Amino acid sequence: MSRRTRRYRQRIYEALDDIRRQNALHRFGDAYLAARNEAFSGLDFDELRREIAVMKDTVREDWQTHVDTFIRQAEKSGAAIFVAEDGQAANQYITRLAQRHGARLAVKSKSMAGEEIELNPALEAVGMRVVETDLGEWIVQLAGQRPSHMVMPAIHLFRDQVAELFGKVTGAAESDDIAHLVEVARHTLRKEFLEADMGITGANLAVVEDGSLALVTNEGNARLVATVPPVHVVLVGIDKLVPTLEDAARILKVLPRNATAQAASSYVTWIRGPAPAPNRQRELHIVLLDNGRSKLASSDKSRDAWRCLRCGACANVCPVYQAIGGHVFGHVYVGAIGVVLTAFLHGLEAAAELIQACIGCRACVEICPADIDLEHIILHLRRRLAEKEGTGKVKGVVFKRILRNRRLFHGMLRSAARMQKPLTDATGSIRHLPLFFSPLTEWRTLPAIAERPLRDLLAEEPCIFAPRLRIALFGGCAAEFVLPQIGLAMAQVCRHLNIELVYPETQSCCGIPALYAGDVETAAELARQNVKALTESEIDAVVTVCPTCTSALVRHFPELLADDPVMAERTAELAAVTQDAAAFLSKQLDNLPPLNHPAIPHTVTYHDSCHLRRGSGVFLEPRKLLKSAGWSLKEMNHPDRCCGFGGSYSVLGQPAIAKAIACDKLQDIMGTGAETVAADCPGCLMMLRGLLKKRQLPTEVAHSVELLAACLP
């Protein structure tokens, strides 16, 4: 483990010790989702974000032309324009402007671009005093910290802490009553507006067709900053350009709803030219900031991040952010988009630990108003990081020497099944590991490798004559070697439906562990092996019992093998016929003979696996299966909240974060009182079963296919 990683993990442990902050971030996230759903009621969110994505892509593909047009239009209105190649150039322009005017005090409204280029220290270095006037930003400034969220910068602080900070300013013991604190801020900051020589704002939108700017805020401070001081500076990234006012209106329909779950923000301030001032000369300076944005626009794999509206919603729903907060899961920008922006605006080194901290749950993808597949981009950044730093000696050997060699890989797992017996209890679990492995079983049990793999057990299943359909089962590592009973249950259901199930012998790991570690070469080799294995015989469909494997076959294999014309065609054909077991079986219900309804336990709750719901869009189908089999379904709170497994994330990656996320999921499950929790991902099953067993709780955990098979006559 590198010194950088050790330092980062220490920060994680310190953040996880702050239970008060974790609880607050969870409460906020839950309240946000409920309010957001209400705010978008009656609107087609998916259609709106597709329109925004197309519009932002249009600007990105020809951003220089849009910049040039904006400059011409803004200059017509009397604005002075400066294009800053990087943060240093932007800071030099603004500080020299301040010096030319003899400015001593600058008031600022919230600007993440200002945080990005460290504008405040640059101004202070030339003798200026800078006062943040957004309430959250002022609080953070008084605390000597940086924002922990793009929209709510002081979300990590509590009102008693704020009262203490304000007391240091006023010299009095301040009440922590929120209304009182707001009044203290208003009274204290009012004189700063009147005495300021320069006002500095950001902008949410820069409209090309007329050179105007829009500020979206919930406080009146931005208007004072923009209109009271004699010099107004707007620092805005070139990625904030939109072609027309109509495009701006489209974003304004979505931005407040996604950012703060409001139908509309309190203020939308439009700026075109210097604010009028009788008997006074005023100036408007617009600093168009590149600072890595053009590099992002030209990136083949990451360019979609140019679309970002800076709504901050990806942090609101991120289980990692809720566990450790933005000061740890962020550099300047936080959350999933912060990982990407950090890599392009501050360098890959600054983003290295953030890249590995992402669990890949795709909650950010689901909620993004610009339709950015952030998980896909972060996987690409992991590849870049692996190319630069490697995947580590252990992973390098496992991926390149073992995973690529199916016979060696499978042989080692068979040997491990025999060697693990001294550590395995009667329930097939490993409750304790010795020496430096012991942390892995401190808060959960681990599943033992099955005595016999799935392929051996399926070979003993009876044949079906004159089947209706013929499908190939892709088992995946977990179902093959750890939970073969899932595959056997699938075979049992197929037999009941008169469907022949075949198990191609040369299939192996889907390659996701290697891909998520950044080893694309190994992932591509495994994709090639599996495509050959699964397309050797005539079948009607390929069915998986693991949604992560489904994602590999449908989403990742085509990309990994795109440069191989022959394999690309076969991969596309494979992707077209591949589906998850729940999706496949739900279409077969009309052919399902009557079932035996279960006795006790009879109540089941369902956990939505991340890659099933958000990766494949499958969530109604397993519920349909369970209900058709007679199970009484009781929904838990946050059924689609990540369980914390994340493949190797919970073992080799970030086990401390995984534990925090898993404990949240456990509370949701236990809150239902259900006797059984169902899930369709073997990884989720192992995680949930391990949590429950470690705490000696009686709740059973099963794959929905197992519960369906249990009801067969």
Side-chain angles (χ1 to χ4, degrees):
M1 185 186 298
S2 69
R3 182 180 300 177
R4 183 190 67 200
T5 300
R6 284 196 297 270
R7 287 198 301 264
Y8 187 69
R9 289 205 173 180
Q10 183 58 41
R11 294 176 62 203
I12 288 173
Y13 299 144
E14 292 170 359
L16 291 173
D17 284 341
D18 192 344
I19 304 300
R20 184 188 186 195
R21 193 209 65 252
Q22 283 185 56
N23 291 337
L25 290 177
H26 280 102
R27 288 194 300 271
F28 162 73
D30 294 346
Y32 161 80
L33 280 174
R36 179 186 176 277
N37 289 339
E38 179 65 26
F40 273 105
S41 178
L43 296 176
D44 187 338
F45 174 68
D46 286 333
E47 178 61 26
L48 285 169
R49 71 177 186 166
R50 280 193 293 269
E51 291 174 355
I52 289 171
V54 171
M55 180 269 293
K56 294 284 281 184
D57 286 351
T58 300
V59 177
R60 183 200 69 221
E61 290 165 7
D62 192 16
W63 63 267
Q64 187 63 64
T65 299
H66 285 84
V67 166
D68 294 341
T69 304
F70 176 83
I71 291 173
R72 287 196 301 272
Q73 295 300 102
E75 286 177 340
K76 288 179 182 177
S77 66
I81 313 296
F82 177 74
V83 179
E85 182 180 350
D86 54 27
Q88 182 180 5
N91 286 338
Q92 285 179 350
Y93 180 85
I94 298 170
T95 54
R96 288 172 181 172
L97 177 66
Q99 290 173 317
R100 188 165 70 243
H101 284 272
R104 288 289 175 265
L105 170 63
V107 288
K108 285 180 72 234
S109 74
K110 186 177 179 301
S111 169
M112 286 306 299
E115 296 285 347
E116 173 189 326
I117 66 172
E118 298 184 336
L119 176 58
N120 287 14
L123 289 168
E124 290 164 354
V126 296
M128 287 193 69
R129 187 165 67 91
V130 184
V131 178
E132 297 285 354
T133 63
D134 174 270
L135 180 58
E137 288 281 353
W138 188 51
I139 292 169
V140 169
Q141 185 181 34
L142 293 178
Q145 299 175 356
R146 62 175 175 80
S148 66
H149 190 284
M150 285 194 285
V151 176
M152 293 156 283
I155 193 173
H156 61 289
L157 293 172
F158 295 87
R159 61 185 188 180
D160 61 309
Q161 295 171 314
V162 175
E164 183 178 350
L165 290 171
F166 283 12
K168 292 177 180 178
V169 175
T170 63
E174 301 294 350
S175 164
D176 67 357
D177 176 72
I178 293 176
H180 171 74
L181 293 174
V182 172
E183 185 57 35
V184 170
R186 182 180 293 117
H187 175 77
T188 305
L189 292 173
R190 186 173 295 143
K191 63 183 179 62
E192 308 286 12
F193 293 113
L194 299 174
E195 295 175 2
D197 309 296
M198 176 182 284
I200 303 171
T201 70
N204 296 90
L205 301 165
V207 183
V208 172
E209 72 174 351
D210 68 351
S212 63
L213 300 156
L215 281 73
V216 182
T217 64
N218 278 321
E219 302 173 34
N221 65 303
R223 290 186 175 179
L224 291 171
V225 170
T227 57
V228 175
V231 179
H232 176 205
V233 177
V234 179
L235 177 65
V236 56
I238 57 175
D239 52 331
K240 296 293 184 70
L241 293 167
V242 298
T244 67
L245 287 166
E246 183 180 357
D247 294 318
R250 185 178 292 111
I251 288 178
L252 292 175
K253 184 183 290 187
V254 172
L255 182 57
R257 288 178 166 89
N258 225 57
T260 53
Q262 298 170 271
S265 293
S266 300
Y267 301 93
V268 178
T269 302
W270 291 95
I271 298 168
R272 188 168 185 269
N279 305 318
R280 189 177 178 186
Q281 184 66 36
R282 291 182 46 82
E283 296 180 14
L284 171 63
H285 295 258
I286 302 174
V287 179
L288 291 172
L289 181 65
D290 185 333
N291 200 40
R293 287 162 175 80
S294 59
K295 182 180 177 183
L296 177 62
S298 63
S299 169
D300 181 47
K301 302 294 184 181
S302 306
R303 61 188 179 188
D304 286 355
W306 172 282
R307 302 172 185 166
C308 177
L309 306 183
R310 306 295 197 271
C311 70
C314 56
N316 298 348
V317 298
C318 175
V320 177
Y321 178 86
Q322 290 181 357
I324 60 177
H327 284 160
V328 182
F329 192 42
H331 181 68
V332 171
Y333 296 99
V334 306
I337 190 62
V339 177
V340 181
L341 294 177
T342 298
F344 280 88
L345 307 183
H346 301 280
L348 193 62
E349 171 73 17
E353 297 302 331
L354 307 180
I355 291 169
Q356 306 297 356
C358 171
I359 196 170
C361 70
R362 296 183 65 80
C364 54
V365 180
E366 185 176 52
I367 207 164
C368 178
D371 206 17
I372 307 169
D373 192 333
L374 287 162
E375 187 212 19
H376 183 79
I377 299 174
I378 291 172
L379 287 180
H380 167 66
L381 293 177
R382 283 185 182 169
R383 174 182 180 177
R384 286 179 52 197
L385 189 64
E387 289 171 349
K388 181 180 179 181
E389 300 184 354
T391 58
K393 292 181 180 179
V394 174
K395 288 184 178 180
V397 171
V398 171
F399 295 151
K400 291 180 169 58
R401 301 284 182 86
I402 299 175
L403 274 189
R404 294 191 192 188
N405 187 328
R406 180 182 60 82
R407 292 184 181 277
L408 175 61
F409 176 46
H410 289 189
M412 290 180 66
L413 287 173
R414 287 175 184 266
S415 297
R418 295 189 294 270
M419 295 171 62
Q420 71 185 351
K421 289 184 178 180
L423 302 172
T424 306
D425 65 16
T427 67
S429 297
I430 299 172
R431 294 184 179 273
H432 303 285
L433 286 174
L435 303 175
F436 51 83
F437 293 110
S438 61
L440 297 177
T441 51
E442 280 180 352
W443 51 277
R444 56 170 170 203
T445 65
L446 294 176
I449 299 172
E451 290 188 12
R452 299 179 65 196
L454 177 60
R455 64 183 62 223
D456 290 0
L457 298 172
L458 287 177
E460 299 172 357
E461 290 290 299
C463 296
I464 297 177
F465 299 98
R468 291 190 304 108
L469 296 171
R470 189 169 189 262
I471 68 169
L473 176 64
F474 185 80
C477 300
E480 168 85 72
F481 292 101
V482 182
L483 301 172
Q485 62 269 25
I486 299 173
L488 289 176
M490 185 67 190
Q492 185 181 353
V493 173
C494 286
R495 191 162 59 250
H496 200 69
L497 290 166
N498 194 30
I499 296 172
E500 181 184 2
L501 183 149
V502 298
Y503 197 81
E505 286 292 310
T506 54
Q507 66 175 281
S508 189
C509 174
C510 69
I512 285 291
L515 182 66
Y516 276 41
D519 186 350
V520 178
E521 289 184 1
T522 295
E525 174 57 28
L526 290 169
R528 190 173 290 105
Q529 292 177 18
N530 283 307
V531 171
K532 290 178 180 177
L534 295 169
T535 57
E536 286 176 343
S537 57
E538 291 293 326
I539 53 173
D540 296 295
V542 173
V543 178
T544 81
V545 288
C546 173
T548 304
C549 293
T550 308
S551 293
L553 272 64
V554 174
R555 292 174 51 230
H556 298 301
F557 281 15
E559 182 182 55
L560 290 167
L561 302 178
D563 294 334
D564 184 332
V566 176
M567 292 304 296
E569 183 177 352
R570 292 175 68 177
T571 304
E573 293 171 356
L574 173 62
V577 298
T578 298
Q579 52 192 310
D580 182 82
F584 174 77
L585 291 176
S586 68
K587 299 172 185 175
Q588 307 297 322
L589 284 179
D590 291 341
N591 301 299
L592 196 65
L595 302 174
N596 295 325
H597 287 188
I600 296 176
H602 62 277
T603 304
V604 62
T605 190
Y606 187 77
H607 162 66
D608 286 289
S609 304
C610 297
H611 282 108
L612 186 63
R613 179 162 186 147
R614 303 189 188 101
S616 300
V618 174
F619 57 96
L620 296 176
E621 293 87 340
R623 291 169 168 82
K624 181 180 177 182
L625 288 178
L626 293 170
K627 290 178 180 178
S628 70
W631 292 89
S632 175
L633 180 63
K634 185 172 183 179
E635 294 285 0
M636 68 178 82
N637 291 330
H638 325 111
D640 59 346
R641 173 180 280 166
C642 180
C643 73
F645 180 67
S648 62
Y649 187 93
S650 62
V651 180
L652 301 175
Q654 302 289 353
I657 299 175
K659 176 185 176 182
I661 297 172
C663 289
D664 292 334
K665 171 56 69 172
L666 186 62
Q667 288 184 4
D668 292 335
I669 292 170
M670 301 314 298
T672 66
E675 293 91 348
T676 302
V677 54
D680 279 62
C681 173
C684 296
L685 293 177
M686 292 188 290
M687 187 66 147
L688 299 177
R689 191 171 292 166
L691 284 167
L692 290 161
K693 282 190 174 183
K694 193 68 174 182
R695 289 158 179 76
Q696 298 182 341
L697 296 170
T699 310
E700 296 293 328
V701 184
H703 198 286
S704 62
V705 172
E706 292 182 274
L707 296 179
L708 181 61
C711 302
L712 297 176

